[in-house]
């Protein structure tokens, strides 16, 4: 496909465990033989297995963009090839709304992660008007509904501590603050 279309750049979104990721030979051909720059995005770079993959393919990647944590920098060989950014958010979805803030406290995301169930149960127990639903993986709601809940929330709860012990700047932090909700973390 690259030989046929001759792109100026290749964007790589490596998905751990996917059979759709390119093999090393393909990346090498694209980057070294065809001289096409490769930029890789890493969404959960707190996991050592993600860091190991990025290190494995580093000779074929010109720039790694990491959108959740800077804690990986001491673990990589060439930190100068990494750029720490944040998750891009659509301003048509996440904005300050003139509508009612009728949800006192909300959490949108997976409950399965460490410590979340107990914290959410405590918030629900206090009967403060807590709303909880899924995010992108668990009890999915549309992205429009997801964003609307943030615009209706006064306070959004977030858990920045990952199971690896690192802190993450997950998309929820930006989604909540762009929607003018108070962000409450550990």
């Amino acid at each position: 496909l690259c030989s046929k279309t001759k792109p100026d750049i290749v964007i790589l979104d490596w998905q751990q465990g996917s059979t759709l990721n390119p093999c090393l030979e393909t990346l090498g051909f694209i980057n070294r033989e065809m001289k096409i720059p490769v930029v890789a995005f890493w969404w959960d770079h707190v996991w050592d297995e993600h860091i190991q993959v990025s290190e494995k393919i580093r000779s074929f990647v010109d720039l790694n963009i990491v959108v959740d944590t800077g804690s990986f920098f001491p673990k990589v060989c060439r930190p100068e090839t990494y750029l720490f950014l944040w998750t891009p958010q659509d301003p048509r979805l996440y904005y300050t709304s003139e509508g009612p803030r009728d949800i006192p406290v909300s959490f949108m995301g997976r409950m399965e992660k460490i410590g979340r169930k107990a914290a959410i149960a405590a918030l629900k127990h206090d009967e403060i008007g807590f709303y909880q639903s899924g995010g992108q993986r668990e009890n999915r709601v549309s992205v429009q509904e997801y964003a609307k809940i943030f615009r209706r929330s006064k306070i959004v709860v977030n858990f920045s501590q990952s199971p690896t012990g690192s802190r993450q700047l997950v998309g929820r932090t930006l989604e909540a603050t762009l929607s003018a909700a108070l962000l409450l973390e550990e």
Side-chain angles (χ1 to χ4, degrees):
L1 182 61
C2 287
S3 295
K4 191 180 197 178
T5 62
K6 300 188 181 1
D8 294 326
I9 192 168
V10 169
I11 304 296
L12 175 63
D13 183 1
W14 192 279
Q15 296 297 312
Q16 194 67 16
S18 173
T19 58
L20 300 176
N21 295 323
C23 65
L24 293 179
E25 293 79 20
T26 301
L27 277 176
F29 182 77
I30 291 169
N31 188 252
R32 292 206 175 133
E33 301 299 320
M34 297 187 72
K35 307 280 191 237
I36 299 172
V38 175
V39 175
F41 277 82
W42 301 98
W43 303 100
D44 271 323
H45 222 52
V46 296
W47 300 100
D48 284 340
E49 58 192 17
H50 290 209
I51 295 167
Q52 290 163 3
V53 169
S54 72
E55 285 294 287
K56 181 176 160 185
I57 67 173
R58 72 182 156 99
S59 60
F60 309 122
V61 174
D62 298 284
L63 178 63
N64 293 281
I65 298 176
V66 180
V67 296
D68 64 348
T69 183
S71 65
F72 65 89
F73 278 110
K75 300 177 183 181
V76 297
C77 292
R78 291 180 22 220
E80 68 277 3
T81 65
Y82 287 80
L83 178 61
F84 177 39
L85 294 176
W86 52 88
T87 56
Q89 303 301 341
D90 187 340
R92 294 170 298 179
L93 295 170
Y94 302 101
Y95 56 88
T96 302
S97 173
E98 297 299 322
R101 296 272 176 181
D102 56 348
I103 300 174
V105 183
S106 69
F107 172 71
M108 300 294 289
R110 291 185 290 173
M111 294 290 290
E112 68 194 46
K113 292 191 176 180
I114 298 170
R116 289 184 178 180
K117 286 183 181 178
I120 298 302
L123 288 168
K124 285 182 177 179
H125 179 71
D126 287 341
E127 298 180 20
I128 57 174
F130 187 81
Y131 179 88
Q132 188 272 320
S133 186
Q136 297 174 1
R137 292 179 183 86
E138 186 180 286
N139 299 325
R140 277 189 82 122
V141 296
S142 71
V143 67
Q144 292 81 7
E145 182 62 23
Y146 180 84
K148 184 178 179 183
I149 290 166
F150 283 120
R151 292 192 306 269
R152 291 176 50 206
S153 297
K154 294 177 183 175
I155 300 171
V156 171
V157 174
N158 182 52
F159 299 90
S160 63
Q161 183 79 26
S162 78
T164 67
S166 298
R167 298 275 181 197
Q168 284 184 278
L169 177 66
V170 297
R172 190 168 29 257
T173 58
L174 298 171
E175 294 157 353
T177 54
L178 286 170
S179 300
L182 173 69
L183 178 66
L184 180 65
E185 292 186 333
E186 302 98 327

